[in-house]
Amino acid sequence: MAKLLVTGAGGMLGQAVAAAAEKSSDQTLALGRDKLDITDAAAVTAAIDQFEPDAVINCAAWTDVDGAEAEEAAATEINGAGAANLAASCAASGVRLVQVSTDYVFDGSATEPYVESSPINPQSAYGRSKLAGEQAIEAAGGDYAIVRTAWLFGAGGSNFVDTMLRLGAEREQIEVVTDQIGCPTWTGHLAPALIACAAANGTGIFHAIGGGRCSWFELASETISLAGLKAKVEPTTTESFPRPAPRPAFSVLGSERGDEAIVLPDWHEGLRGHLAAAGVIDSAAGAAQGA
Ligand SMILES: NC(=O)c1ccc[n+]([C@@H]2O[C@H](COP(=O)([O-])OP(=O)(O)OC[C@H]3O[C@@H](n4cnc5c(N)ncnc54)[C@H](OP(=O)(O)O)[C@@H]3O)[C@@H](O)[C@H]2O)c1
């Protein structure tokens, strides 16, 4: 990939994508919110006109799932209208757009993995706002890949794994839900896949999640165990933990794209990669446990 523009480059995924892009593309322009606000259509067009990228990877988003319930219009302004601005400018300039989307476009009631064409039915304001972005991109008429991912963790942003590390060090006991199942995904695995997707040809929706599946309880237990923390992880249920936004009970994504499917390593490998990168385990131990 010759020239890559990364938006939302200050976020958790954006940082990983910017770092991976620096390694693999001839020229990368990584813009955080302070340098490019994607809700500013003129600024988006100017950035694309000036840099003339071959592709844009959009990592900018409103990601406060609970906050979106009270501020749906503000979330939709970024996740819907912001994505629409990028799509319009990219389409006008013949630039491929890679948009990061989410499992929250599904209702979580399935028992088999959701594939790209599975019926969407978002249950939360965040899910609706991300779906608005998907639909705007599809309508813009340009070349695009919408990459739905889920349960992200990585360096440089708040995420469940790091929260477990903190709580595991502070508390003797942590209660974690067993009745939400998903696919934990390390940004260190997703970022290079997004760059490959930016350079690839397929248009449409792709699913990209860490291999395997587990509950939040299992992810917490594995994190605490690998980190050697003493806290006991106790099972609980979603009902005992009311939150403003409903959480999908089943967020396992699959793919019907055959050879074009984005396949990432198993989530255990991602977890060890993240813990090793954070210095929580040494990478040799991580590799040994993965063997
Ligand atoms: N985290 C997950 O579990 C998860 C799961 C599925 C999908 N995703 C998707 O993955 C993508 C990356 O998420 P993330 O976890 O990296 O979230 P994040 O750390 O919150 O990053 C989002 C970034 O977007 C920036 N941003 C917000 N509004 C913006 C605007 N108007 N213009 C430009 N930048 C703006 C934020 O800046 P400020 O911090 O200054 O607001 C932040 O740096 C998002 O599309 C998200 O929907 C995430």
Side-chain angles (χ1 to χ4, degrees), residues 23-272:
K23 283 189 199 151
S24 63
S25 61
D26 295 342
Q27 228 182 318
T28 300
L29 181 61
L31 300 177
R33 187 181 197 157
D34 53 338
K35 297 273 173 19
L36 179 62
D37 180 338
I38 63 165
T39 64
D40 182 341
V44 166
T45 299
I48 290 171
D49 286 352
Q50 281 162 25
F51 185 57
E52 297 183 327
D54 295 296
V56 173
I57 302 180
N58 179 32
C59 299
W62 174 298
T63 55
D64 176 359
V65 171
D66 287 325
E69 292 298 313
E71 293 184 80
E72 185 162 355
T76 306
E77 178 65 15
I78 297 171
N79 294 346
N85 289 337
L86 286 164
S89 294
C90 284
S93 304
V95 174
R96 180 168 167 83
L97 174 61
V98 176
Q99 163 75 359
V100 182
S101 195
T102 172
D103 55 307
Y104 275 69
V105 298
F106 299 116
D107 63 18
S109 66
T111 52
E112 293 295 321
Y114 290 101
V115 296
E116 288 86 352
S117 66
S118 294
I120 39 146
N121 185 23
Q123 299 296 297
S124 62
Y126 168 74
R128 288 189 292 273
S129 73
K130 292 294 291 184
L131 179 58
E134 290 192 5
Q135 290 172 337
I137 290 166
E138 286 164 345
D143 177 25
Y144 69 89
I146 291 167
V147 181
R148 295 185 185 134
T149 190
W151 289 35
L152 280 187
F153 59 90
S158 62
N159 63 80
F160 177 85
V161 170
D162 288 359
T163 301
M164 290 304 109
L165 291 175
R166 179 172 53 78
L167 294 180
E170 287 171 6
R171 298 186 186 172
E172 287 183 1
Q173 186 175 310
I174 319 168
E175 291 190 348
V176 186
V177 300
T178 55
D179 56 358
Q180 293 171 32
I181 308 293
C183 305
T185 307
W186 182 35
T187 57
H189 285 151
L190 179 60
L194 291 173
I195 290 169
C197 186
N201 288 322
T203 295
I205 299 173
F206 295 79
H207 287 177
I209 33 57
R213 65 173 80 172
C214 66
S215 66
W216 290 117
F217 172 82
E218 289 169 284
L219 179 57
S221 301
E222 185 72 2
T223 302
I224 297 293
S225 161
L226 281 173
L229 295 169
K230 296 275 180 293
K232 195 162 174 358
V233 184
E234 292 288 351
T236 188
T237 59
T238 304
E239 211 179 356
S240 327
F241 265 93
R243 308 275 292 269
R247 282 356 191 222
F250 184 83
S251 260
V252 179
L253 304 186
S255 181
E256 62 198 351
R257 283 197 163 262
D259 291 347
E260 278 189 329
I262 301 173
V263 180
L264 304 184
D266 188 88
W267 68 266
H268 293 90
E269 202 179 309
L271 180 59
R272 285 193 298 272

